[in-house]
Every structure is written in C-alpha cells, then in structure tokens.
Amino acid sequence: MDYKYIEQLVDRYFACETSLEEEQILRVFFAQETVPVSLLQYRQLFVEQTEAKHEVLSDVFDERILALVNGQQKAEPKRVKARIISMPQRLRPLYKAAACVAVVLALGQAAQMPYSEREAEQENIARSMVKPDIQKDENAVAKSDSAVKEKTVTSTEVLSN
C-alpha cells in the first residue's frame, strides 16, 4: 500500500477534510499488523475506533423521552405576576447604606474623643511648665519675688562667711 497516501489521509483526517470512506480506509490500514514506524503513533487512535462498541439505546428509552417531551408541551406554562414596587421599597437599600455609613462615622468620632482630650491635657501641662500660673493676688507675687531675693542673699551671705 502507498504510505504517502496514508500520510496524506492522516493529515486530512486531523484537518477534518476526510470523507467517511477515507476514514474507513484509515481504520482498515491501521488494523493491519504491519504499520510503518512513522505512522505507528496514530495506530491506537484508529484501532480503538474500530473496537469501540456502539451502544444502541432501546426503543423503551425513546418512548420514555418522547412521553416526557409531550407531557411538558401539554402542561400549561406557569404565569408570572408582575410585582409593583413602591418608592420607599426602592429606596430601602439606600437607607440601609446611609445608616451603615452613619454608624461607622459615629464610631470613628467616638474613638477620636479620648485622643483629642489627652492632647488638650498634654498641651495644658506643657504650657504650665513653660509659663507658671500667676496668681491674681499681687502680694503673693511680690512675696514670691522677695522670697527668691532673700534666698539668693542668704545664699551669698553663706558663701562669704
């Protein structure tokens, strides 16, 4: 047999250009015991096609399928009622989303409050360290100034002695 013709048939087979007679020629060729080494890789494909058992469904199967199809055609189709949706029903998802956003913002604001109070306290402490609170009583200021002078005088006197 001409192996070039078989190779061309195999190429046409994989390109889906063969007729049923040409495919039968390929099955008969590959069913032989002697096949060239270059075509040996295609042998199992064509041998399995010839050995495959074709299962034929019984007439009972056909009757059951036809009965099911005819039964569905006879049954009345289900009617679907259109629902009327009011405006508040349409806006409900938006209300839910707005409520979620409000809750998240409220929680965020509540979480910020302790931090802002701490910052204010720290600023007050820092201001009091830099600039001591001056008492409104003028005598107290004068007393504190004179006490500081007396302490310095006494300390210098102690040093000179």
Side-chain angles (χ1 to χ4, degrees):
M1 184 165 243
D2 188 17
Y3 297 126
K4 288 185 181 182
Y5 176 69
I6 297 296
E7 288 176 359
Q8 290 174 355
L9 280 180
V10 168
D11 292 337
R12 288 183 47 213
Y13 176 80
F14 287 116
C16 299
E17 298 173 350
T18 56
S19 65
L20 293 176
E21 293 83 21
E22 292 171 336
E23 289 178 16
Q24 186 62 31
I25 292 171
L26 287 172
R27 285 189 202 97
V28 169
F29 174 77
F30 285 107
Q32 298 175 0
E33 291 183 21
T34 57
V35 177
V37 176
S38 62
L39 298 173
L40 196 56
Q41 59 187 349
Y42 305 116
R43 182 177 188 175
Q44 186 155 358
L45 173 71
F46 291 102
V47 169
E48 285 182 5
Q49 286 181 357
T50 56
E51 291 177 357
K53 295 179 182 177
H54 297 288
E55 294 183 21
V56 179
L57 298 174
S58 66
D59 292 333
V60 176
F61 177 79
D62 291 338
E63 290 173 8
R64 287 190 303 182
I65 294 297
L66 288 174
L68 287 173
V69 170
N70 290 335
Q72 288 179 355
Q73 290 176 350
K74 291 178 183 176
E76 293 182 23
K78 293 182 180 179
R79 294 183 183 175
V80 180
K81 275 189 163 181
R83 291 190 312 165
I84 298 173
I85 300 174
S86 65
M87 188 57 86
Q89 287 177 333
R90 287 185 183 179
L91 295 177
R92 262 188 213 142
L94 294 176
Y95 294 149
K96 290 177 183 178
C100 290
V101 169
V103 167
V104 168
L105 291 176
L107 290 175
Q109 186 65 26
Q112 291 289 331
M113 290 296 279
Y115 295 116
S116 61
E117 289 174 1
R118 287 182 189 166
E119 288 176 2
E121 288 177 13
Q122 290 175 352
E123 287 177 10
N124 289 337
I125 292 171
R127 285 183 191 157
S128 66
M129 293 178 125
V130 173
K131 185 177 176 184
D133 291 337
I134 299 175
Q135 296 175 356
K136 291 185 179 179
D137 188 15
E138 292 177 5
N139 294 333
V141 173
K143 288 179 186 177
S144 65
D145 286 342
S146 63
V148 171
K149 287 181 184 176
E150 287 177 7
K151 286 182 183 176
T152 54
V153 171
T154 56
S155 60
T156 52
E157 290 175 359
V158 173
L159 289 176
S160 60
N161 290 338

